[in-house]
Amino acid sequence: MRDTFVRTLIEEAKMNDKIELITGDLGFGVLKPFWEQLPDRFTNAGIAEQNMTSVAAGMALEGKTVFTYSIGNFPTLRALEQIRNDCAYHNANVKIVCVGGGFVYGSLGMSHHATEDIAVMRALPGVTVLCPGDLAEAEAATRAIISHQGTCYLRLGRGGEKRIHEKPIDFKIGRAIKIEDGAEIAIFSTGAIFEEVAGAVEKLKENGIGPTVYTFPTVKPIDRETVEAAASSHKYIFTVEEHNVVGGFGSAVAEVITETGGAKLIRLGINDVYSTQVGNQKYLRDFYGISAEKIAERIIKECK
């Protein structure tokens, strides 16, 4: 996803001289094409994410569209006060980009596990939160937030994510995308965990369960219309996220269903713990119950 993001940002920046990119002293390998082609619009703020965010806010209030870029929790939790006070409060055109949502940097421990960021960012008034599920969604989301007024959070994987959409997608902020139709149960997914959801769907079909499947590249604003329609026409809705189940994507869906009623909701994610394990992303997903196998097992158990 990060390569797709950088390529898309370069294309857009060549057509829009207001776009700026600031990094927190990392990502130079993947960002090299940007600073080689657009050196006057690239800034290294150093290992100072709070300053980076305030600088971005100042530039945005002077008419720029500014992207801040870092990994895991660094551009969000470390700079939360600056995002809240300097960016969101002023409706500044700052686009915060996290590379490595969830367990991407699993071997580096909990300090690098971005598992509370969705909840924190969606709690800030005026902040739009996007978690694309594949390369097509990452490209479309990047283009969309450039023209979207206000502060946005873009949560990306790292690299190697599988493509969900083989055909062009009709991407709109605040709109879910249907992957396939089914009956009885619906599965909602946000972010790069969709590759595990896709594997789980295949296992469910082998057990005679054909779910309706949606990917939600936007967590805030949540697609209320899709949630309400699915809740009224399915017995169960399962949400899947590589994130704490408290306050994240599943909670956003729960807020809608609580108001409207309908299907029973089961949230699959990290059960309100910090990871005490280290290992690669696949290992940690399985350990915390959000691998394809564990997702399928949980759904089959609930349906029985």
Side-chain angles (χ1 to χ4, degrees):
M1 283 189 190
R2 61 182 181 181
D3 292 340
T4 297
F5 160 72
V6 174
R7 174 182 56 77
T8 305
L9 189 63
I10 290 171
E11 292 173 3
E12 291 290 326
K14 287 180 176 179
M15 298 184 291
N16 182 348
D17 62 7
K18 293 183 178 181
I19 293 175
E20 301 273 345
L21 174 62
I22 309 178
T23 182
D25 203 38
L26 48 75
F28 298 114
V30 69
L31 298 180
K32 184 178 180 183
F34 189 100
W35 57 258
E36 284 184 336
Q37 297 177 57
L38 300 157
D40 294 338
R41 285 188 272 155
F42 176 83
T43 303
N44 177 14
I47 306 174
E49 291 83 2
Q50 293 156 327
N51 289 345
M52 173 180 74
T53 304
S54 291
V55 167
M59 294 170 72
L61 293 176
E62 289 299 316
K64 302 294 186 179
T65 299
V66 190
F67 284 76
T68 62
Y69 178 99
S70 191
I71 66 171
N73 299 315
F74 301 163
T76 53
L77 304 190
R78 184 172 288 177
L80 180 57
E81 184 176 2
Q82 286 71 28
I83 294 169
R84 178 181 184 269
N85 295 354
D86 299 347
C87 301
Y89 179 70
H90 296 284
N91 198 34
N93 268 329
V94 176
K95 319 302 178 182
I96 302 142
V97 181
C98 156
V99 177
F103 290 130
V104 167
Y105 294 97
S107 61
L108 298 180
M110 64 80 65
S111 64
H112 285 60
H113 299 165
T115 53
E116 305 90 41
D117 52 309
I118 296 174
V120 171
M121 297 305 291
R122 85 177 188 92
L124 297 177
V127 175
T128 301
V129 178
L130 294 99
C131 306
D134 80 336
L135 306 184
E137 291 183 8
E139 177 179 345
T142 302
R143 298 190 196 280
I145 62 177
I146 290 170
S147 57
H148 185 79
Q149 175 63 41
T151 303
C152 298
Y153 175 48
L154 180 62
R155 186 197 213 226
L156 302 175
R158 185 180 184 183
E161 293 84 8
K162 295 179 181 179
R163 182 176 287 272
I164 305 168
H165 308 285
E166 297 301 332
K167 298 179 180 179
I169 58 175
D170 180 18
F171 184 96
K172 293 181 180 178
I173 290 176
R175 190 75 56 84
I177 303 172
K178 181 180 284 187
I179 305 300
E180 60 182 281
D181 279 308
E184 290 284 320
I185 75 166
I187 303 175
F188 295 168
S189 172
T190 194
I193 195 67
F194 184 83
E195 63 181 346
E196 302 291 348
V197 171
V201 169
E202 293 305 312
K203 295 179 185 301
L204 291 173
K205 289 178 178 177
E206 293 171 3
N207 285 269
I209 301 172
T212 298
V213 182
Y214 279 92
T215 175
F216 279 70
T218 309
V219 175
K220 183 186 176 184
I222 196 71
D223 185 347
R224 295 183 62 93
E225 183 178 339
T226 292
V227 174
E228 290 173 5
S232 66
S233 58
H234 294 78
K235 186 175 181 181
Y236 296 97
I237 292 177
F238 295 86
T239 60
V240 186
E241 59 193 306
E242 195 168 352
H243 184 273
N244 193 341
V245 293
V246 176
F249 170 58
S251 293
V253 174
E255 289 162 11
V256 177
I257 294 177
T258 297
E259 295 173 357
T260 61
K264 178 180 180 181
L265 174 67
I266 294 113
R267 295 172 296 158
L268 305 184
I270 302 160
N271 290 318
D272 201 27
V273 296
Y274 293 113
S275 174
T276 57
Q277 306 295 312
V278 294
N280 65 30
Q281 186 177 27
K282 294 289 285 185
Y283 169 78
L284 291 176
R285 284 177 173 177
D286 187 68
F287 187 91
Y288 288 102
I290 50 174
S291 63
E293 293 78 8
K294 297 290 179 62
I295 292 168
E297 288 174 8
R298 178 70 186 280
I299 292 174
I300 292 169
K301 179 181 178 182
E302 292 288 345
C303 289
K304 286 182 178 178

